[in-house]
Amino acid sequence: MTSSTGSHATGRKAAQLRQAAEDAFAEEIAALCRADDRPRPPNWRMSPQAVVTYLMGGRLDSGLAITPKYIGDRRLMEVAVATLATDRALLLLGVPGTAKSWVSEHLAAAICGTSRLIVQGTAGTSEEAIRYGWNYALLLAKGPSREAVVGSPIMRAMDEGRIARVEELTRIPSETQDSFITILSEKTLPIPELNEEVPAQKGFNLIATANNRDGGVNELSSALKRRFNTVVLPPPATIEAEIAIVESRVASLGRAFEIPAEPPGAEQ
């Protein structure tokens, strides 16, 4: 029964229209973890140097080619990874199409093995989506208890020592954004109803993305800005870089849709 269930789960993952980074690039991540003999921060699956290799591409001693996930300035990825190795949160800032979400997903996948602890920022994002909510059936039946608490992705990341992601941070109303201040400064999430708190375990950190060009954005307070190191992801610097990005994404989408790839026609 266990084998059958495992095969079914594997088959469903393979049939997904879009796999998470940790599934789509599982072979590369596993190979980097095996080959990596450098020091790793607590609860990191690989060293910061290996994370940069995963993002920028390279070739391992085994001969396995690591595909580049980000085509651009290596220094930006080094700064991003170094930030996450400290107690500073990371803010990826840029216009649409600069790979903010893509980089965020791959950073989380490489560092902690999951990119799924994510909060999508919108004008309707509530404080409960950042902190916690309640299972009201249990709350009515048993009263306030940890069993009745429904943890947010941020709370789960803190409890497990993982990376949490916040998409479109500046879309979240300003008064709700400030829920992150205590989490990032004190590294704890109070639950005043229970007179308890959830302390962040080693390895916890936060990656947020933001676009400062569209309308409808909410400026971050100066207190919240101080909790982030900001890395600005620029548009492709050259037409060659843009072509390389498009070719990489087309190849990735082709594999997902099982479309045979054809080499581009020769110029006449």
Side-chain angles (χ1 to χ4, degrees), residues 146 153-162 198-201 204:
R146 280 298 296 268
I154 309 293
M155 183 176 177
R156 296 201 302 273
M158 295 176 72
D159 197 40
E160 298 169 9
R162 295 177 182 266
V198 177
Q201 302 301 308
F204 166 73

Side-chain angles (χ1 to χ4, degrees), residues 245-266:
I245 292 168
V246 172
E247 288 179 343
S248 173
R249 294 296 293 134
V250 167
S252 176
L253 290 170
R255 288 192 297 271
F257 287 101
E258 300 182 9
I259 300 172
E262 292 188 12

